[in-house]
Amino acid sequence: MTPQTVSRLSELLDPVPDRIWLALFVLIVGLLLAYLVVVVNRRLLRRAGVPEAIEGTAFERTAREFGTSTVSIVAKLSGYFIAGVTIIVALTVANVEYVDLFWSDVATFLPKLFVAALVLIVGVVLGDKVELLVAERLRGVKLPESGLFPPLVKYSVVYVAVLIALGQIGIETLALVVLLAAYAFAVVLFTALATKDLLASAAAGVFLLLRQPYGIGDEVKVANRRGIVQEVDLFVTHIETDGEEHVVPNHVVFRDGIVRIRE
């Protein structure tokens, strides 16, 4: 009987090789570490005020419907990453066949996948939060097109997050970047068309505020309306007559001209 045969027989007769015990130890320690990371990250995110900051976002509401939260998802994501690395390390220590062939690729890909998932979650939450903020800011703007801006801003943020996430895992994003440029151009063009009257009123308002052709208390006639000037701001002029207050856009004043009536 050759020495190689004896060695092979001894390995077969040995019920649990030492490397299996070591791999089991690595697996247990790694899973415990993953659990601790989940607990610590959840506490850190809560202390940082993340739940309050993202309260009311669509992503948070969806997470609550499934009995979880954004903080829990992000914390568990870090734990899953460590658990995945632990399993690969344990399999390598156990000398499982073919693991070494793809270990280097997996070890490189897992961190990128973790970052991509984290970026995507942050992008969606940030998009929801920005949508709420923009909607709040535009609540007092009386423009039919103002309701389109919050979702436009939201999906712009999400789109950029998707680009970054895809770039992290090595997917070619050149076509998507070109599409983003075309989308940005379309948004700028749409914004310019939707707010042309607002921009014109603002430009006219700057001129009126600097030159002051009329002031508060003056009796004027503009756009077939005659009354007393009550207020002049950047966008509109308030004129009161016979108990009625007329709000005249400044670009109308600038276009049609104004007549100041002297007694």
Side-chain angles (χ1 to χ4, degrees):
M1 184 177 294
T2 63
Q4 292 81 2
T5 304
V6 173
S7 176
R8 183 62 177 171
L9 287 175
S10 62
E11 290 181 359
L12 293 175
L13 293 175
D14 187 3
V16 182
D18 292 340
R19 63 176 180 272
I20 300 298
W21 288 111
L22 181 58
L24 184 61
F25 174 77
V26 170
L27 183 62
I28 294 174
V29 172
L31 293 179
L32 288 175
L33 179 62
Y35 174 76
L36 290 176
V37 167
V38 171
V39 174
V40 171
N41 282 346
R42 186 183 290 117
R43 291 180 178 178
L44 290 176
L45 291 172
R46 287 175 178 171
R47 289 182 180 179
V50 174
E52 292 78 11
I54 62 176
E55 185 67 30
T57 60
F59 189 90
E60 179 67 11
R61 291 197 304 269
T62 303
R64 292 292 177 87
E65 290 177 359
F66 286 93
T68 182
S69 65
T70 305
V71 168
S72 296
I73 292 174
V74 173
K76 290 179 180 178
L77 185 64
S78 60
Y80 294 151
F81 168 68
I82 295 178
V85 173
T86 299
I87 293 173
I88 298 298
V89 173
L91 292 175
T92 303
V93 172
N95 198 22
V96 176
E97 192 174 4
Y98 303 121
V99 170
D100 290 336
L101 297 178
F102 62 89
W103 159 245
S104 58
D105 294 335
V106 172
T108 304
F109 181 73
L110 274 181
K112 295 180 179 180
L113 182 61
F114 170 72
V115 173
L118 187 61
V119 167
L120 190 58
I121 293 174
V122 172
V124 173
V125 173
L126 183 60
D128 290 337
K129 190 64 178 179
V130 171
E131 180 185 24
L132 292 175
L133 292 176
V134 173
E136 182 69 23
R137 294 291 183 181
L138 295 179
R139 182 170 297 175
V141 178
K142 305 301 181 182
L143 285 176
E145 299 85 357
S146 61
L148 298 177
F149 287 105
L152 278 177
V153 175
K154 171 188 175 179
Y155 290 116
S156 298
V157 174
V158 173
Y159 192 91
V160 172
V162 170
L163 283 180
I164 297 175
L166 292 178
Q168 284 293 320
I169 59 178
I171 296 179
E172 183 60 43
T173 58
L174 179 59
L176 294 177
V177 172
V178 175
L179 183 61
L180 176 62
Y183 168 76
F185 176 78
V187 169
V188 172
L189 181 61
F190 169 78
T191 303
L193 292 175
T195 60
K196 62 181 186 302
D197 291 338
L198 186 64
L199 295 176
S201 292
V206 171
F207 174 81
L208 295 175
L209 291 174
L210 290 176
R211 297 298 300 271
Q212 295 184 350
Y214 55 89
I216 296 175
D218 290 342
E219 186 176 3
V220 298
K221 181 179 180 182
V222 58
N224 296 323
R225 294 181 178 90
R226 178 173 177 173
I228 306 297
V229 177
Q230 300 296 319
E231 182 183 354
V232 181
D233 60 27
L234 186 62
F235 298 103
V236 296
T237 296
H238 298 261
I239 300 175
E240 184 177 355
T241 177
D242 296 331
E244 296 180 348
E245 183 178 4
H246 301 280
V247 181
V248 183
N250 285 335
H251 76 277
V252 174
V253 177
F254 192 79
R255 182 191 63 201
D256 298 343
I258 191 168
V259 178
R260 187 167 59 179
I261 300 173
R262 299 180 182 274
E263 296 295 340

